[in-house]
Amino acid sequence: MERRIHEFLAEERRSWAALNADSAELIDCVSRMVGSGGKRLRPAFCVAGYLAGGGDPEAQVVVDVAAALELLHTFALLHDDVMDDSGLRRNEPTAHVLHSTLHEERDWRGEPRRYGESVAVLAGDLALVYAERLLVDCPPHARRIWGELCTELMIGQFLDVRAAARFVPDPELSSWIALFKSGRYTVYRPLAMGAELAGAQELRPAFERYGLALGEAFQLRDDLLDAFGSSDVIGKPAQLDFKQHKMTLLMSIALRHEAEVRELVGDDLSRADPERLHEVLIRTGVRDRVEEVVAERIETARAAVRGALDPDWAAELHTMARQAAYRDK
């Protein structure tokens, strides 16, 4: 998968640089994000679903689908960083920050910030176009799942932005956001695409139960890392959810159940002292409560595939679940 993406982007760069040297800079923006690291969870779950379903390990189509999933994630991250006004991604300046700086250094006309954001949005769009091109040989039944995945991602992003603006504690809405942005997008749909490619549609119900449980645990870990993690470790600004008024599942639980948190936050999360909020969340037991939910969701995911899959693959998916839910960045 890594080689497929690298060769694809390298060929694109060669072709466009020959036509117009300036155009290569947009492709480089995509390549920079892809090459900066990442957990590659979505491709990994797709391949796992495919192999667990008895797919041919030599087939090219699953490689292309896995590569498309990673490029789709690249699209989402490039746009996310603009929407969140984030300055760091994987310990490097985000695309919009980098290109704002280049605009200033080159002494160009117009507003540097606007230019940088435009480049990042266009690079995200290009990554999505590339993902679609890699799916040219993907069978129609798997393409339908891809369409559902993309739709759920966009709706989840909208609900996230809307919830931040509305800023009303709503655990049910926060669960829906986690479901769309993590449960389906990160875990279930990639697994389902792999199963469809392998002709193992009978695995989809088990994969759905597994994916939705793990997806919620994954999103809760994101919330915990943002609230309690270190910027140096997680590779992006810590406590950004607080500053962006994000109504995460963690904050929704805290605001609904803890009067001290409600008093501290009031109607503006960004004005709450992050250190004080950090201390209150620990002292009131919110952090521990969320960790208990994570553990429960991991056990639900484990039970979903136990008996439905070959024991070796059930064990492998349990290992993948723990790695995703107990990661440190």
Side-chain angles (χ1 to χ4, degrees):
M1 189 273 293
E2 299 289 347
R3 185 171 66 181
R4 179 71 170 109
I5 295 177
H6 174 76
E7 291 176 350
F8 179 90
L9 292 176
E11 178 57 31
E12 279 294 297
R13 193 185 195 284
R14 282 192 295 270
S15 297
W16 281 99
L19 293 171
N20 181 290
D22 292 343
S23 62
E25 194 164 275
L26 187 65
I27 300 167
D28 289 342
C29 188
V30 176
S31 298
R32 179 175 174 268
M33 177 64 83
V34 174
S36 66
K39 294 174 280 295
R40 307 301 200 241
L41 285 175
R42 294 145 199 90
F45 280 118
C46 178
V47 172
Y50 178 76
L51 295 176
D56 177 6
E58 301 300 321
Q60 180 63 36
V61 65
V62 70
V63 177
D64 287 346
V65 171
L69 284 164
E70 190 58 32
L71 284 168
L72 176 67
H73 190 51
T74 298
F75 147 78
L77 294 182
L78 286 163
H79 284 202
D80 263 358
D81 288 339
V82 173
M83 289 188 287
D84 291 344
D85 194 22
S86 178
L88 285 176
R89 168 71 65 180
R90 297 167 182 165
N91 286 318
E92 295 290 339
T94 50
H96 66 280
V97 170
L98 173 63
H99 285 276
S100 295
T101 301
L102 289 175
H103 183 285
E104 292 177 337
E105 291 174 349
R106 292 163 176 171
D107 196 26
W108 284 352
R109 302 290 180 87
E111 184 183 348
R113 178 187 179 91
R114 184 75 168 174
Y115 174 81
E117 291 177 345
S118 298
V119 172
V121 168
L122 288 169
D125 292 344
L126 185 61
L128 180 58
V129 169
Y130 285 158
E132 291 286 346
R133 283 174 53 185
L134 285 169
L135 294 176
V136 65
D137 294 323
C138 184
H141 50 89
R143 281 299 299 252
R144 283 194 291 272
I145 298 174
W146 171 266
E148 292 164 352
L149 180 157
C150 291
T151 303
E152 289 163 350
L153 171 60
M154 306 307 171
I155 295 296
Q157 291 285 62
F158 166 71
L159 291 176
D160 194 23
V161 170
R162 187 178 186 277
R166 184 166 170 252
F167 199 69
V168 174
D170 189 340
E172 184 176 356
L173 176 59
S174 298
S175 293
W176 275 109
I177 293 170
L179 171 71
F180 291 139
K181 291 186 65 177
S182 294
R184 293 185 180 273
Y185 164 61
T186 299
V187 187
Y188 169 53
R189 295 297 186 192
L191 280 169
M193 287 193 77
E196 286 288 336
L197 292 173
Q201 292 85 352
E202 70 278 4
L203 295 180
R204 286 186 59 181
F207 283 162
E208 183 169 21
R209 292 192 297 272
Y210 170 93
L212 301 188
L214 174 55
E216 186 173 348
F218 181 87
Q219 186 59 53
L220 285 170
R221 181 60 55 198
D222 256 5
D223 295 349
L224 288 166
L225 287 172
D226 181 88
F228 304 106
S230 160
S231 296
D232 291 338
V233 175
I234 64 177
K236 58 184 179 179
Q239 300 173 346
L240 190 61
D241 288 345
F242 296 166
K243 297 169 187 173
Q244 297 294 331
H245 295 192
K246 288 291 182 73
M247 187 50 65
T248 63
L249 192 53
L250 181 152
M251 281 306 305
S252 190
I253 292 170
L255 287 166
R256 175 158 290 191
H257 295 287
E258 297 297 337
E260 191 172 354
V261 176
R262 290 196 299 273
E263 181 179 351
L264 176 62
V265 170
D267 61 0
D268 190 350
L269 178 58
S270 66
R271 292 186 179 180
D273 178 2
E275 293 299 323
R276 175 87 187 283
L277 182 57
H278 176 275
E279 184 271 327
V280 170
L281 289 172
I282 294 174
R283 178 162 46 76
T284 56
V286 171
R287 183 178 186 176
D288 291 339
R289 185 178 303 141
V290 171
E291 289 286 7
E292 290 172 2
V293 174
V294 169
E296 185 272 327
R297 301 315 287 154
I298 291 301
E299 185 52 39
T300 298
R302 181 182 187 181
V305 294
R306 188 190 301 124
L309 299 180
D310 173 271
D312 288 342
W313 272 109
E316 177 64 21
L317 284 175
H318 178 55
T319 298
M320 293 175 72
R322 292 191 61 82
Q323 289 172 343
Y326 291 106
R327 67 195 188 281
D328 60 3
K329 61 182 178 179

